[in-house]
């Protein structure tokens, strides 16, 4: 079967750095997405990785290792507004997105 | 403001009733999707449409139907609602020909409760 694993919940301090991991086992791979979802709102796009390595976009970076079936989202200089769920999704061999359950990130002052 | 709208925002429905969730986008995106989101589970694809006039089944299509008469609208119908269909439903769209390499843009969601 297809599986995306993420930690259920993480806590971090304002101004700090946090790394949210995602491991996947899917039938095929056509890229990995990270989305942010604030409580009660729609998911919004953060990043897309299809090649190995690190993609940096402001305070957020995303890393991919296809050989290890592993990705992480790195958030720097955490702000209270970063409190949200972070969703990892993999495009499988049918080009359909398989979604993880999400990681709820709690930021404390 | 360009984007995706969904209606209703929330609904309480008696089991056995028919219900249509509406979704409209004004970005002229080719592909549209319907997902359900349940606590502790990832988003699950119900149905999708890569272009107007075509639809396909996702991971959990049973009990749901869709149509895509034009580019902008993609309604989701529950023919006879059951309590297990209680969920938050998100409509999404993407540019290109659909599929999992395009960024998907989500509507605000419909919270549906079936009693």
């Amino acid at each position: 079967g297809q599986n995306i694993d993420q930690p259920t919940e993480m806590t971090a301090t304002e101004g700090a750095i946090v790394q949210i991991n995602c491991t996947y086992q899917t039938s095929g791979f056509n890229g990995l997405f990270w989305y942010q979802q604030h409580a009660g709102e729609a998911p919004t796009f953060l990043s897309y990785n299809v090649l190995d390595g690190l993609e940096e976009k402001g305070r957020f970076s995303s890393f991919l290792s296809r050989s290890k079936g592993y990705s992480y989202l790195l958030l720097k200089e955490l702000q209270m507004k970063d409190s949200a769920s972070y969703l990892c999704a993999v495009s499988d061999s049918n080009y359909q997105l398989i979604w993880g359950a999400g990681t709820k990130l709690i930021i404390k002052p | 403001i360009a984007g995706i709208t969904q209606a209703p925002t929330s609904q309480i429905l008696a089991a056995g009733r028919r219900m249509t969730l509406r979704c409209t986008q004004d970005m002229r995106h080719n592909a549209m999707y319907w997902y359900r989101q349940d606590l502790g589970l990832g988003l699950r694809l119900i149905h999708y449409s890569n272009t107007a006039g075509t639809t396909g089944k996702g991971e959990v299509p049973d009990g749901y139907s869709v149509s895509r008469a034009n580019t902008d609208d993609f309604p989701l119908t529950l023919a006879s609602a059951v309590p297990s269909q209680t969920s938050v439903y998100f409509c999404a769209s993407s540019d290109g020909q659909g599929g999992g390499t395009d960024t998907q843009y989500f509507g605000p969601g419909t919270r549906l409760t079936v009693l």
Side-chain angles (χ1 to χ4, degrees):
Chain A
Q2 309 204 88
N3 198 49
I4 310 287
D5 285 319
Q6 307 179 234
T8 301
E9 186 175 296
M10 299 182 70
T11 302
T13 304
E14 189 176 16
I17 299 173
V18 71
Q19 178 176 310
I20 301 174
N21 296 325
C22 171
T23 58
Y24 62 89
Q25 289 179 306
T26 56
S27 60
F29 179 84
N30 288 298
L32 185 145
F33 290 84
W34 285 97
Y35 280 75
Q36 181 190 60
Q37 185 177 25
H38 285 100
E41 297 184 7
T44 56
F45 169 78
L46 287 177
S47 67
Y48 172 66
N49 295 65
V50 66
L51 300 176
D52 290 350
L54 187 67
E55 296 272 348
E56 296 186 78
K57 192 184 296 184
R59 293 189 300 114
F60 291 10
S61 302
S62 56
F63 171 84
L64 175 67
S65 169
R66 289 172 297 171
S67 63
K68 295 182 179 178
Y70 168 70
S71 173
Y72 67 72
L73 181 69
L74 192 71
L75 290 73
K76 303 176 184 176
E77 301 169 14
L78 286 170
Q79 302 175 10
M80 296 304 293
K81 67 179 182 179
D82 297 329
S83 291
S85 289
Y86 291 85
L87 314 180
C88 174
V90 172
S91 175
D92 70 5
S93 57
N94 294 318
Y95 292 91
Q96 289 189 1
L97 289 186
I98 309 300
W99 295 80
T103 298
K104 182 178 181 180
L105 178 63
I106 299 168
I107 310 296
K108 295 186 174 180
Chain B
I1 297 176
I4 301 180
T5 58
Q6 292 185 236
T9 302
S10 65
Q11 182 76 43
I12 298 175
L13 189 66
R17 297 297 294 267
R18 180 184 179 90
M19 175 75 189
T20 295
L21 307 185
R22 300 185 298 278
C23 174
T24 300
Q25 55 106 356
D26 63 3
M27 297 178 283
R28 308 302 295 173
H29 283 171
N30 286 318
M32 298 187 74
Y33 315 85
W34 274 105
Y35 291 95
R36 60 179 290 173
Q37 187 175 41
D38 301 292
L39 196 63
L41 298 178
L43 288 162
R44 291 182 291 170
L45 182 66
I46 304 170
H47 285 287
Y48 65 93
S49 169
N50 287 337
T51 190
T54 68
T55 62
K57 294 181 179 180
E59 179 186 358
V60 289
D62 293 345
Y64 306 95
S65 63
V66 292
S67 61
R68 187 89 184 277
N70 57 60
T71 297
D72 299 343
D73 300 301
F74 191 42
L76 176 74
T77 297
L78 289 67
S80 179
V82 295
S84 62
Q85 292 178 311
T86 294
S87 188
V88 179
Y89 291 86
F90 285 103
C91 179
S93 71
S94 67
D95 204 353
Q97 295 305 307
T101 59
D102 303 318
T103 298
Q104 294 186 14
Y105 299 87
F106 286 79
T110 293
R111 184 174 296 275
L112 181 67
T113 302
V114 182
L115 301 176

